[in-house]
Amino acid sequence: MSDSEFEYSDLSDSETNLSDNESDENVTSGSDLEYSDSFDGNIDSATKWCQISAENPPSPPPRFPFVETPGCSFTLNDMFDPLEYFRLFFDINLINIIVKETNRYAMQQPKTSRNVKWDPVTTEDIYVFLTICIIQGIIHKPEERMYWTTNEIFLTPIFSKLMSKNRFVQIKKNLHFSNNDNYDPTTHPNPKINKIWPIVTNLNKKCSHLYVPERDISVDESLMLYRGRLSWKQYIPLKRSRFGVKFFMLCESASGYLYNFIIYTGRGTCLNEKYKEMPLTSQIVLSLADPLLGKGYCLTTDNYYTSPQLADYLISCRTDFCGTVRTNARDVPDIIRKKKLEKGEIVAMQRGKVMILKWQDKRAVTLLSTFHNLVKVTKQMPNGSVQSKPQVVFDYNHTMGGVDRLDQHLHDYPVMRKAGKKWYKKIFFHLVDICLYNAFVLYKKNGGERENLGFRMRLVERLIEEHHTETRVTKQGRPKESSLPSLPRLTERHFPDFLPPTEKKAAPTRHCAVCCKRRRENGKKVRKESRYFCKDCGVALCIIPCFEVYHTRENY
C-alpha cells in the first residue's frame, strides 16, 4: 500500500469530541519516563504510561537482534526449472492422496445412466488435470466447455490434445481429498473443513518449512470468493470479493510469500491451544507467528489485531511490533482517545518499549510501535510530491502490504474459476493459486529471471513434457479417421419400425438419438420424441431426416 493510499478506517470524528484539558489517571509526567537504550524486554518494571514531547523526544527503542538467516531451506537439481519448484508443494505423496481419494469417491457414487463408467485416475492424470487448470488461468474464456470447442474462432487445440472434455469434467466432478467413511466429528481436529483437511495441513506445513522469511512480516485477512451456502461464509464489504471464505495469513512483507495460514470456520476455528487465555485476535496473530517468536522478527498488523496487551506479550518473546490501533482498545490511554488535535499535531504516550502515537492528518491516525519514537520525517514520493509524516507511518505503509501483495498476484492468472458449488474444491484451487505464487517467489529468490507469466508458461511446458502421454489422449479422445473401425450402422442395411407396445402404452415414444445430440451441442432444452426406431440398432429416431443421418454419418 502506498503512502498516498493510507486508510484510516479505524478512527472517526466522534473519537475527538472531548476537550484537551481532560486528564488521564494513568499518565505521568515526561520526567518520570525512565528509558534506556539497553532495554532488555522486561515489561514488568514499565507499568504506567507517560506522555512524551515532540520538542524533546526520547531515542527510539532499539530493535531486537534478528537471529534468523532468511532464505530457502531446500536444494534442487535445477534451480531455474519451474517444475522443480511446483513439485516442492505438489509432490508425488500429495498427488497420491488426491488419486486415492478421487478413485475411492468415484467408486462410491451410484451407478446411473448419467454416471459414465469410471476409468481410475493415475498420478499422470492429476498432473495433466492441474496443467489444464493452470492454462485456463492464463487463457480466459467465459465458459469452461469453450476450451474444447471446435469453432475455429475460439479453437484452442492444446486442451483436446492433453485431455478430452468428458474426461476433464469427470475428474473435476469426482475430485476428492479425504475418506468420508473414516470421518468422525468428535475426534477430527477441524470437523468443518474435514473434506479438505489433508490438503490444508500438507500445504501449510510445506509453506512454513521451505522458506525462512525476512525480518519484516505482516498478518492480515484475505477473502476467497464463494457465494454458495456455507455456515461460516463471511461478508466483508471492503474486500474485493465481499462474500467468501476468510483466511488469516502471515506473509513476508516484501515479497508476499505466504508462510502460514488459518481458515476461519467460526467457533471451531483451529488455533494454538497455548494462547487460549488471550483475546481472540491475539490468539490468531500468535498462532500464525508462533514458529517465528523469539527470533527478532518485526510483525505488522492492522487495527483489528493491534493492542497494547499483544505488544507486551510479543516483547516478552523478543519480537517487535507495529500497527494501527483502535483508540477504544483496552489499555489505550485516555489522552490518546480524547485529545483534539490540529492538522499536523502529534500526541504520544510511552510505556517501556511500547509507544502509542496519535497524529492528525485528514483524519486522526493512531499507531502503536515497539521500535519508533514520534519524530516526523520528510520524504519525496515517486510522483514527485513531498510528504511529512511520522516515521512510524512510513514504516507501517512499507511493511503492512504482504497479504495485499499476495492477493493482487492471485488475481493475475487465477486457477480457481468463479463457477462451482463445492466449497472444498474452491479452497483446493485457491491453494493451488497460492502455491503457484509461493513457487514463483522461491524461484525469484534463487535468481530466476522470468516474471510471473513466463514462470507459469514454462511450468506448463515442463508439466506436459514430464506427464503427458500421447497414448492416453488417443484412448480418451476421438480417434483419427484412419483408425476408425467400420461401423455396422454405416455399412449394413437398416429399416425403420414402430416401437413395440408396452404394458402402460400402446404407442410408446422415446427420445430421438440425433435430436438429443443436436440439443446438447446447441445448448437448447427441447424434447424431441419419436414413435419410430431402428430394429437392428435399437435406437429411437425420427423417420425424417434423423434415420438417414444416423446411418450415414460417423459422429452419431
Side-chain angles (χ1 to χ4, degrees), residues 197-209:
W197 183 250
I199 307 299
V200 170
T201 54
N202 188 293
L203 293 180
N204 211 349
K205 182 177 179 180
K206 289 174 181 175
C207 290
S208 301
H209 284 76

Side-chain angles (χ1 to χ4, degrees), residues 346 357 359 374-377 388-395:
I346 297 177
L357 172 147
W359 169 60
L374 71 171
V375 171
K376 294 176 71 174
V377 295
S388 178
K389 296 180 180 180
Q391 180 67 51
V392 62
V393 175
F394 282 108
D395 290 345

Side-chain angles (χ1 to χ4, degrees), residues 261-424:
F261 67 91
I262 297 171
I263 299 178
Y264 175 76
T265 57
R267 185 170 295 180
T269 302
C270 193
L271 299 173
N272 195 325
E273 287 293 322
K274 181 167 46 172
Y275 307 109
K276 63 182 180 180
E277 301 300 326
M278 301 284 286
L280 177 61
T281 54
S282 299
Q283 289 185 52
I284 294 168
V285 173
L286 296 173
S287 296
L288 290 169
D290 183 70
L292 304 177
L293 298 181
K295 301 177 181 179
Y297 277 93
C298 178
L299 178 64
T300 307
T301 64
D302 64 14
N303 60 59
Y304 179 70
Y305 308 95
T306 309
S307 68
Q309 181 184 7
L310 178 59
D312 292 341
Y313 188 88
L314 289 173
I315 289 173
S316 70
C317 298
R318 303 190 66 80
T319 302
D320 280 309
F321 188 44
C322 176
T324 54
V325 62
R326 296 174 180 175
T327 56
N328 61 355
R330 181 181 177 184
D331 206 23
V332 172
D334 287 345
I335 193 171
I336 296 293
R337 184 182 306 114
K338 300 175 181 178
K339 188 173 179 63
K340 290 183 178 180
L341 301 174
E342 298 294 331
K343 185 171 182 179
E345 285 187 337
I346 297 177
V347 61
M349 308 292 293
Q350 189 148 5
R351 184 185 66 184
K353 203 174 187 302
V354 182
M355 180 202 69
I356 295 182
L357 172 147
K358 184 177 182 180
W359 169 60
Q360 186 70 32
D361 191 33
K362 293 179 181 178
R363 298 177 66 182
V365 186
T366 309
L367 298 104
L368 178 148
S369 175
T370 64
F371 57 96
H372 286 96
N373 59 8
L374 71 171
V375 171
K376 294 176 71 174
V377 295
T378 301
K379 291 187 179 182
Q380 185 172 2
M381 308 310 296
N383 60 4
S385 63
V386 176
Q387 295 185 0
S388 178
K389 296 180 180 180
Q391 180 67 51
V392 62
V393 175
F394 282 108
D395 290 345
Y396 172 82
N397 288 335
H398 180 68
T399 59
M400 184 55 202
V403 177
D404 292 335
R405 185 169 287 106
L406 171 64
D407 280 343
Q408 179 183 0
H409 284 284
L410 293 184
H411 286 89
D412 291 341
Y413 314 104
V415 171
M416 183 185 68
R417 298 183 66 85
K418 291 184 179 180
K421 297 181 180 179
K422 301 292 186 181
W423 60 268
Y424 60 92

Side-chain angles (χ1 to χ4, degrees), residues 476-536:
Q476 294 178 355
R478 181 177 296 172
K480 298 180 180 179
E481 293 183 3
S482 59
S483 61
L484 278 172
S486 178
L487 299 176
R489 66 181 174 85
L490 302 179
T491 57
E492 298 177 355
R493 299 172 66 186
H494 297 266
F495 302 96
D497 198 355
F498 286 105
L499 287 166
T502 63
E503 295 181 359
K504 295 183 178 180
K505 289 186 179 181
T509 60
R510 282 166 48 187
H511 293 301
C512 171
V514 174
C515 292
C516 287
K517 181 174 177 60
R518 288 176 177 171
R519 185 179 72 235
R520 288 194 299 269
E521 291 176 347
N522 298 331
K524 297 180 180 179
K525 297 182 178 179
V526 180
R527 296 185 64 177
K528 184 74 173 181
E529 298 192 359
S530 174
R531 288 190 58 199
Y532 298 91
F533 82 120
C534 176
K535 292 190 295 183
D536 297 312

Side-chain angles (χ1 to χ4, degrees), residues 74-105:
F74 58 86
T75 56
L76 299 175
N77 295 327
D78 186 353
M79 300 300 285
F80 302 104
D81 182 5
L83 181 56
E84 297 270 357
Y85 292 93
F86 181 70
R87 282 178 174 168
L88 290 173
F89 298 94
F90 285 86
D91 56 14
I92 190 64
N93 294 327
L94 182 59
I95 297 297
N96 282 337
I97 293 174
I98 299 174
V99 169
K100 179 181 178 180
E101 299 304 333
T102 298
N103 284 328
R104 188 203 308 273
Y105 180 76

Side-chain angles (χ1 to χ4, degrees), residues 12-218:
S12 64
D13 295 336
S14 62
E15 295 169 349
T16 58
N17 58 1
L18 300 178
S19 66
D20 297 349
N21 298 325
E22 296 197 46
S23 61
D24 178 29
E25 296 178 356
N26 295 327
V27 177
T28 60
S29 64
S31 59
D32 294 335
L33 173 63
E34 295 182 2
Y35 177 80
S36 171
D37 288 344
S38 61
F39 181 78
D40 60 359
N42 183 12
I43 63 173
D44 295 332
S45 60
T47 59
K48 292 185 178 181
W49 291 104
C50 65
Q51 187 170 353
I52 53 179
S53 171
E55 297 176 356
N56 187 23
S59 301
R63 288 178 180 263
F64 291 111
F66 184 54
V67 298
E68 272 287 18
T69 304
C72 301
S73 55
F74 58 86
T75 56
L76 299 175
N77 295 327
D78 186 353
M79 300 300 285
F80 302 104
D81 182 5
L83 181 56
E84 297 270 357
Y85 292 93
F86 181 70
R87 282 178 174 168
L88 290 173
F89 298 94
F90 285 86
D91 56 14
I92 190 64
N93 294 327
L94 182 59
I95 297 297
N96 282 337
I97 293 174
I98 299 174
V99 169
K100 179 181 178 180
E101 299 304 333
T102 298
N103 284 328
R104 188 203 308 273
Y105 180 76
M107 296 305 295
Q108 290 172 346
Q109 300 311 300
K111 301 299 184 291
T112 64
S113 58
R114 298 183 63 183
N115 189 15
V116 182
K117 181 182 177 182
W118 174 251
D119 186 11
V121 296
T122 63
T123 56
E124 306 299 323
D125 289 332
I126 297 298
Y127 273 119
V128 173
F129 174 83
L130 292 175
T131 303
I132 293 174
C133 293
I134 296 171
I135 302 174
Q136 289 179 350
I138 299 173
I139 304 173
H140 298 281
K141 293 188 179 183
E143 295 182 5
E144 198 166 60
R145 62 185 178 87
M146 291 183 64
Y147 289 101
W148 284 269
T149 183
T150 56
N151 188 321
E152 293 184 357
I153 300 176
F154 308 105
L155 180 64
T156 315
I158 185 61
F159 291 96
S160 57
K161 291 180 180 179
L162 292 176
M163 185 178 288
S164 70
K165 182 188 71 172
N166 290 342
R167 180 61 170 171
F168 178 85
V169 172
Q170 191 183 38
I171 293 177
K172 192 170 186 178
K173 177 182 177 182
N174 292 285
L175 197 63
H176 216 70
F177 315 103
S178 65
N179 187 357
N180 294 334
D181 295 336
N182 294 339
Y183 169 60
D184 184 357
T186 60
T187 58
H188 197 281
N190 200 334
K192 290 186 179 180
I193 57 174
N194 69 90
K195 289 182 178 295
I196 192 69
W197 183 250
I199 307 299
V200 170
T201 54
N202 188 293
L203 293 180
N204 211 349
K205 182 177 179 180
K206 289 174 181 175
C207 290
S208 301
H209 284 76
L210 291 172
Y211 178 69
V212 178
E214 297 174 0
R215 181 186 62 182
D216 293 322
I217 54 178
S218 61

